[in-house]
Amino acid sequence: MAETLWQRQLREGLAEMELSLSDEQQKKLLAFLALLNKWNKAYNLTAVRNEGEMVSRQLLDSLSILPWVTTERLLDVGAGGGLPGIPLAIAFPEKHFTLLDSNGKKTRFLNQCILELGLANVEVIHGRAEDCAPEKPFSQISSRAFTALDNLVDWCGGLLANDGRFLAMKGLYPDDEVAALPGGWQVSSSHSLKVPGADGERHLLIVTRTEQSR
C-alpha cells in the first residue's frame, strides 16, 4: 500500500527531529489529525486549513517540545483542538495529561478524541483556568497560542507548583511579553524550536517563579 503524504511528512519530520515513535504511535497521530481536519470544518478548531501543512504545523510543532516534558502530570491550558496536549499524550502513554478549555465545542471534540483514539492517559476539563481547582498543583503547564505571558501567570499561576514550570510555546521571541511579566516571575530559559516544514520562528519559553517568590 502506497505511503500517503501525511505518513511521509510525519516519518521524515520525526527523523529530522531525531524523535523515535512507534508505528502504532504514528498511526494514532495521523488518526488524530484526520479527526481534527474533519471536525474543524464545523467547529473551527484551528486556523490551519491546508492539508499539506497540517502535519508540520500541528503534529510536528506540538512534538517539538517533547524533550522538555519531564513531569508525570502535565496540564495543557487553552487546549483548543488538542495541541500540543493530544500529540504529547500519544508520545508519552505513561504520563498523564489534563486538557483545559472553556469552549464547550472544543472540549466535546477532545472527549471524542479520547474515545476514538483510546487515550486512557488524558482527561478533559471544561472551564476557565481561574475556576480550576486540582487536587494538587501541576509541576508543568503547557500553553500554545493561548494568551500573553502576563495573563498566563495571572490566570494559571495558582495551578502551578511552587517550583513548577510553564512551557509557553511562541512564534517570534516575544520581547514585549517578557518585559511585561509581573514581579515574582521570570523566563528561566528559552529555546529555538526547529519544526520541519514550518515557516517562521518558533520558541519555547520556560517561565518560573523567581527564587524569592517560591
Side-chain angles (χ1 to χ4, degrees), residues 24-174:
E24 183 62 28
Q25 285 172 310
Q26 293 184 47
K27 186 177 176 182
K28 271 192 180 180
L29 285 167
L30 295 174
F32 163 65
L33 201 59
L35 280 172
L36 185 62
N37 187 38
K38 175 184 173 183
W39 282 59
N40 196 39
K41 294 178 173 70
Y43 275 39
N44 193 29
L45 300 168
T46 167
V48 180
R49 302 284 178 178
N50 183 342
E51 293 189 18
E53 298 179 345
M54 287 182 169
V55 168
S56 174
R57 293 181 58 185
Q58 295 171 336
L59 295 184
L60 298 179
D61 185 77
S62 295
L63 295 170
S64 67
I65 69 166
L66 273 184
W68 292 274
V69 178
T70 57
T71 184
E72 294 306 307
R73 292 173 60 252
L74 180 138
L75 173 66
D76 186 32
V77 294
L83 305 165
I86 298 287
L88 293 178
I90 292 171
F92 286 127
E94 75 282 3
K95 299 180 185 291
H96 187 270
F97 294 84
T98 300
L99 277 49
L100 173 68
D101 202 281
S102 61
N103 184 303
K105 286 184 177 180
K106 292 177 178 177
T107 55
R108 282 196 291 279
F109 167 71
L110 296 174
N111 279 312
Q112 189 65 25
C113 288
I114 291 172
L115 188 67
E116 294 200 29
L117 302 175
L119 299 177
N121 62 331
V122 181
E123 70 170 321
V124 175
I125 297 177
H126 175 213
R128 289 155 47 93
E130 305 95 302
D131 302 327
C132 185
E135 288 184 12
K136 61 180 180 177
F138 293 86
S139 55
Q140 289 190 323
I141 297 177
S142 63
S143 161
R144 179 183 185 267
F146 174 46
T147 188
L149 294 178
D150 58 342
N151 290 332
L152 181 64
V153 300
D154 180 32
W155 299 342
C156 306
L159 305 175
L160 188 72
N162 273 342
D163 58 350
R165 297 175 165 193
F166 282 108
L167 307 180
M169 301 176 71
K170 298 289 181 178
L172 292 171
Y173 187 87

Side-chain angles (χ1 to χ4, degrees), residues 7-21:
Q7 286 173 326
R8 178 176 60 79
Q9 287 178 334
L10 180 59
R11 176 178 53 79
E12 292 179 351
L14 290 173
E16 191 173 333
M17 296 166 75
E18 299 183 348
L19 298 176
S20 179
L21 297 182

